[in-house]
Amino acid sequence: MKIAVVGAGYVGLVTGACFAEIGNDVVCVDIDKDKIRKLNSNIIPIFEPGLEEMVIKNKQAGRLSFANDLKRAIKESEIIFICVGTPPKENGEADLSYVDNVARTIADVMDSYKVIVEKSTVPVETGNEVAKTIRAYNKHKVDFDVVSNPEFLREGSAVKDFMNPDRIVVGCESEKAKNIMKKLYAPLKAPIIFTDIKSSEIIKHASNSFLATKISFINAIANICELAGADVEKVAEGIGSDKRIGKAFLNAGIGYGGFCFPKDADAFVRIAEKLGYDFKLLKSVQEINNDQKKRFVKKIEKALWVVKGKTIGVLGLAFKPNTDDMRFAPSLDIITELQKDGAKIKAYDPKAMEKAKDFLKGITYCNNPYDVAKDADALVIVTEWNEFKELDLKRINGLMRHSLIVDGRNIYNPEMLKKEGFTYISMGRKEVV
Ligand code: UDX
Ligand code: UDX
């Protein structure tokens, strides 16, 4: 089928490339001319495993193209995916102005039946607002359907997640749109859950909020374990082995970041409020999450006693491994706090340093973890990149001024660190000196 994907960001680019991969003709459109120029020169502006090869292959096959001309893309497509940004407003609500802008443009130019799919994470009732907007501006008075099709892509595994979804959620109100979406997704051979539009929009927010809740829950348990002298990793294993709970998203640490959980939780709290419900549970999830970063900084301050003038090496800047995304990354608050304490920061991240430079000033960016460790008074683990799990700890110890590791992602075994002569502090586990 002929598809237009509006917004070639983390979600739109993956969505467009994968739809091309399964045989559709896709044009990805973006207002960011530089982004489109790069994509037309085979420069992929984001890091996602497998994305670069997929984009280049499908461009060469003539199934995937990139353009700035939104109107032309709309005219020539049967299905239009809205993947533009829905960034948080000051009050936490999602800014839907970009979605509205795209909806009005579609209404202005479409002169034949289209399915308009909202892929961006949007508050419940956005689908109906988009439909109302298109009806109001529907210059050629053509028939159309609006569909909600939320994405469940994790950064760092977005291509894999798209091609192997646990389920596809489609909120639509017409048989015609339902059949088109069934045909579109058929090659993925995954279960499709058809709902009304509002339920589909709620599924997306509820899904992200539940995952965030699991993370804050295990972090709260980690804090109790520290006080009790228990081991949160063992507790997570013990509870996660119950299929009703499940092992995933029970990794205690400095909490969640990224462009989804923080903003989607804010938006969901606001949506509930506007509907007349005080979402206390989700507010506590957010509070625990914000508190984790502060607790982590306190651990570093306590271990160093005086932070001012000390050199702190930071391993990992991206909000999670296998991505270069720095949006709402825990490293931002943590490093800013340590700089306020007067620490000198050295940092390394395998993929995110270029993007980090826009967010973090006044730090020394190193080319590898060993340069970060050199002359450091403390080494802190912020993102659990695999390469940090295989470090030569003897060499690290020899390079550091003080053998202290504060691990925000529990990537090391405390007994092993003790054997190597480190003071090792982690999250939800006993301190080892
Ligand atoms: C976006 C939404 O922000 C998020 O809520 C949803 O879950 C998935 O889609 P993401 O892809 O990470 O997330 O956003 P971003 O990387 O900012 O990409 C949005 C793209 O849309 C940008 O490239 C931006 O240039 C483009 N855009 C924005 C348009 O093409 N037109 C607009 O009017 C506004
Ligand atoms: C999330 C959802 O997983 C995905 O379904 C949705 O479409 C977008 O938001 P993403 O934000 O890309 O994906 O990454 P995810 O792997 O969910 O991690 C989110 C944050 O939670 C990261 O900061 C990660 O470090 C943190 N996290 C994750 C934990 O702290 N503990 C865990 O056990 C899992």
Side-chain angles (χ1 to χ4, degrees), residues 257-308:
F259 198 52
C260 289
F261 285 177
K263 82 172 166 56
D264 292 353
D266 279 345
F268 206 8
V269 166
R270 297 283 301 161
I271 291 163
E273 214 171 67
K274 281 175 92 169
L275 291 169
Y277 179 74
D278 181 4
F279 207 156
K280 294 188 187 78
L281 175 64
L282 196 49
K283 284 179 185 171
S284 307
V285 166
Q286 293 177 293
E287 220 175 289
I288 292 167
N289 192 60
N290 291 332
D291 194 37
Q292 276 310 95
K293 290 173 275 188
K294 293 183 186 119
R295 285 171 168 271
F296 185 62
V297 171
K298 279 205 173 48
K299 283 173 183 279
I300 299 165
E301 289 165 345
K302 183 166 169 272
L304 281 176
W305 178 46
V306 172
V307 176
K308 192 169 168 33

Side-chain angles (χ1 to χ4, degrees), residues 152-166:
F152 300 100
L153 308 178
R154 287 166 299 168
E155 287 185 33
S157 58
V159 171
K160 191 164 67 67
D161 290 347
F162 190 103
M163 300 303 278
N164 310 282
D166 291 341

